[in-house]
Amino acid sequence: GPSTGAIYVFKEISLNSIMNSEAKFTIAPNPNQGELSIDLDQVYDSINISIYNSLGQRVQQKNFDKTSYIHLKLNIPTGVYFMQITTDQGNKKTLRMIRN
C-alpha cells in the first residue's frame, strides 16, 4: 500500500545522503609551503580542484582524470584559501587551506 511506498522513498533519500557524506577528502600538509597532496579515498573518473581566496575569487583551477591521489603545486601568494573539490559523481567539498 501507500505506506510501503513512503518507506521506500525514505530509504532512497537516506541512502543518497549517506553516500554523499561518505566522500572523504584529506589535504596535507595544511598549512603548506606551496605544495600539497589530496587523498580522495577512492578513484574518480574526473576531479575539479578550484582554489578561492578570502574574497571568493578563484585563483587557481585544475582538472584531474581517473585518480584517487593528487599532488598539487600552488601558484598563489601566502594567505588563507578555500579549496573546492568536485567529483564526476557530484560530490563537492570545500576545505580551508593555509599557504605559508
Side-chain angles (χ1 to χ4, degrees):
S3 58
T4 345
I7 289 166
Y8 176 71
V9 169
F10 176 73
K11 276 187 180 163
E12 282 277 283
I13 292 164
S14 55
L15 266 180
N16 286 341
S17 58
I18 288 166
M19 283 170 67
N20 285 340
S21 66
E22 268 181 2
K24 295 186 192 75
F25 306 143
T26 48
I27 57 176
N30 191 18
N32 65 76
Q33 307 288 330
E35 285 194 37
L36 60 81
S37 299
I38 306 162
D39 188 351
L40 301 165
D41 204 47
Q42 70 176 79
V43 175
Y44 292 96
D45 283 341
S46 69
I47 323 276
N48 173 269
I49 308 282
S50 293
I51 298 171
Y52 298 87
N53 64 17
S54 54
L55 302 173
Q57 300 163 320
R58 191 165 66 199
V59 292
Q60 194 172 335
Q61 175 183 279
K62 201 153 191 203
N63 291 308
F64 298 89
D65 293 321
K66 299 215 179 350
T67 187
S68 65
Y69 191 83
I70 290 167
H71 184 78
L72 194 63
K73 282 187 162 70
L74 303 169
N75 312 310
I76 51 177
T78 58
V80 176
Y81 295 89
F82 296 92
M83 177 184 290
Q84 190 178 72
I85 304 167
T86 310
T87 75
D88 58 288
Q89 295 175 16
N91 291 318
K92 191 179 278 194
K93 191 165 187 180
T94 305
L95 300 166
R96 188 168 175 270
M97 178 190 81
I98 298 166
R99 161 83 164 93
N100 278 349

